Structures are given as structure tokens and as C-alpha cells.
Amino acid sequence: MLFVLSGPSGTGKTTLCRMLTQACPKEFWFSVSHTTRPRRHMEEDGKDYHFASEEAFQDMIAKDAFLEWAKVYDAYYGTALFPVEEALERGYNVLLDIDVQGGLAVKKGRDDVTLIFIVPPSLAALEARLKGRGRDEPDALRKRLQAVMGEIERAFAAYEYIVVNDELGKALQDVLAITQSAPLKLNKRKQAVLEGFRQEWDQKQPRLK
Ligand code: ADP
Ligand code: 5GP
């Protein structure tokens, strides 16, 4: 199954994804996105992102190599299709840390996608986290904070779950509970259950009468 974690920058998506993959490495696989934005201090190519030139990114678009891609702030971001399909085939729950437009694009026409929106306990807490992380330049920080309200409103209309990341352990439990119950809502599972009853009904109906 695919799990999209979206939310304002600094809300704790990376932290939650890392905790899930570290706690259950056989169950969760994190999709490392491609981006054209410059690498930040402390970020590792291949671990945080696959850092790509704009030319290389456009080449991947032309080759249909993305499950989804979008322009976020001033750069391109995209989820490579092949590694995600491979991880799904190997039975992993795939975690995508992508924005709302990306989440909606992935969900379109698919039954195996769950959209989770992570929010901070308050805007003040978000600002403190972003500043505490100390990763973004003042201009990038301003852009991220300005985008917050619009993003929250769009997600509230379209996302299936909202998780408040106040106490980290509780937020992790909430995300785990969502991932554990998600297979129960799959159409193919519901159909398999229904089919079982139909077959039994067809065989036993005469005796029930
Ligand atoms: P995102 O990936 O959503 O941009 P991060 O996972 O990088 O956000 O988290 C931003 C900062 O907030 C990091 O310094 C992280 O350690 C901190 N953080 C994450 N969750 C919590 C929490 N529940 N309480 C306090 N700080 C948190
Ligand atoms: P940042 O530059 O702060 O790492 O990420 C900026 C935003 O881009 C975040 O909202 C993040 O979720 C989003 N993002 C990261 N990777 C992808 C991706 O592959 N696709 C889309 N649509 N958004 C992404």
C-alpha cells in the first residue's frame, strides 16, 4: 500500500517517516524524491533527495519516469515510478513525503493510496520547529510559512486523515494505526470477502431453505 504524508514544511514528516522505517524496516520503505533544488547543508544525495539538474529532471518527465512531479516553491520535485512499483511488488508499505498536489495526483484512480496530512499543534509551534531546525535561509523560511494556511485548507478538503504532530510518540502511533487499518478498506479485499459469501450462499442455499 502507498501512504502519502503531506503537511507544512517543518511539521515533522521526515521525522515520522524515518521513525517508521527504522522501527519496522521490513514493513516500510521510504521513497526518496528527485529535486532540482540545491542541496542544503547536512543533506545527503540519495538519502534525503536525489539532487538533479533541471535538464536531467526534464528528461525524466519526457520518459514518463515519474509517478508524479510538481513545482513546489521554486524547484521541481518528483517521485520516480520504478522504485515505488518495485517496493510495492516486494510487499512494502511505501511512504511518500510529498506535497498536496503530488498526493492528489498519486491518489487519482488508485485504490491502494492513503492520504495523511500532518499538522503541527499550532502555527507558533511550526515556526519554532522551522527555526529550531536551522536549515532554511530566511527567504525560504518566509515562503514556507506563507504557504501554510492555503496548504492546510486544501488538504482538509481532500485528505482522508489528519494527524496532529504534537507529542511525537502519539503522532507515530496514529500513523501506524492508519497504516494497519488501510488494507481493510481495499476494494479488492471487500470483493474477496463478498465473493466468499456468494459462493457459500450458492452452495448452501437449498439447505438453508
Ligand atoms: P518536515 O519533514 O515536515 O519538513 P522535519 O521532520 O524535518 O519536518 O521536522 C522539523 C523539525 O521539527 C525537526 O527539527 C524535528 O526534529 C522537529 N520535530 C518533529 N516532530 C516534532 C514534535 N512532535 N515535537 C517537537 N519537535 C518536532
Ligand atoms: P523541502 O524543499 O522543504 O525538502 O520540501 C518542500 C516540499 O516539497 C515539501 O512539502 C515536500 O513534501 C515536497 N516534496 C518533496 N518531494 C516531493 C515529490 O517528489 N513530489 C512532490 N509533489 N512534492 C515533494
Side-chain angles (χ1 to χ4, degrees):
M1 305 258 321
L2 273 157
F3 295 93
V4 173
L5 273 74
S6 301
S9 191
T11 208
K13 304 177 296 289
T14 314
T15 307
L16 286 164
C17 287
R18 218 158 263 165
M19 288 173 86
L20 285 168
T21 50
Q22 276 169 9
C24 321
K26 289 186 181 151
E27 202 177 318
F28 292 103
W29 182 84
F30 178 71
S31 160
V32 178
S33 293
H34 285 67
T35 184
T36 61
R37 92 152 156 68
R39 190 170 66 85
R40 294 185 191 117
H41 178 59
M42 304 288 280
E43 282 183 334
E44 244 180 77
D45 190 23
K47 179 170 169 266
D48 298 291
Y49 282 105
H50 297 290
F51 294 97
S53 67
E54 195 146 332
E55 197 187 359
F57 197 96
Q58 293 296 342
D59 191 45
M60 285 183 74
I61 294 176
K63 287 182 176 143
D64 268 340
F66 286 121
L67 171 61
E68 63 76 40
W69 63 270
K71 194 162 189 184
V72 187
Y73 309 119
D74 298 323
Y76 289 98
Y77 292 82
T79 307
L81 177 62
F82 178 70
V84 168
E85 280 183 337
E86 199 181 46
L88 286 173
E89 268 167 35
R90 290 170 64 192
Y92 283 100
N93 280 328
V94 171
L95 302 171
L96 304 178
D97 169 354
I98 64 178
D99 78 335
V100 171
Q101 51 181 329
L104 297 179
V106 172
K107 176 84 184 168
K108 209 172 262 178
R110 288 185 79 133
D111 190 32
D112 60 343
V113 179
T114 303
L115 300 178
I116 309 171
F117 197 70
I118 314 288
V119 291
S122 66
L123 292 173
L126 179 67
E127 188 169 356
R129 281 182 200 174
L130 277 170
K131 286 187 175 152
R133 184 168 68 180
R135 203 188 65 180
D136 306 276
E137 297 295 320
D139 188 43
L141 194 92
R142 206 170 26 251
K143 272 189 189 140
R144 279 160 176 73
L145 285 171
Q146 274 166 357
V148 169
M149 231 18 246
E151 218 179 337
I152 290 179
E153 271 167 18
R154 236 176 316 144
F156 266 64
Y159 270 50
E160 297 161 286
Y161 295 96
I162 305 288
V163 169
V164 181
N165 180 19
D166 187 356
E167 205 269 294
L168 192 55
K170 170 75 173 70
L172 186 69
Q173 285 308 315
D174 287 349
V175 175
L176 263 174
I178 294 166
T179 62
Q180 281 159 3
S181 66
L184 301 177
K185 71 170 184 174
L186 280 176
N187 279 331
K188 70 174 182 209
R189 180 188 170 274
K190 290 194 285 186
Q191 267 158 12
V193 172
L194 181 64
E195 203 43 50
F197 276 100
R198 280 193 179 133
Q199 281 176 11
E200 190 185 355
W201 179 257
D202 288 345
Q203 285 160 13
K204 294 215 173 120
Q205 200 186 359
R207 268 195 283 146
L208 290 173
K209 276 179 187 161

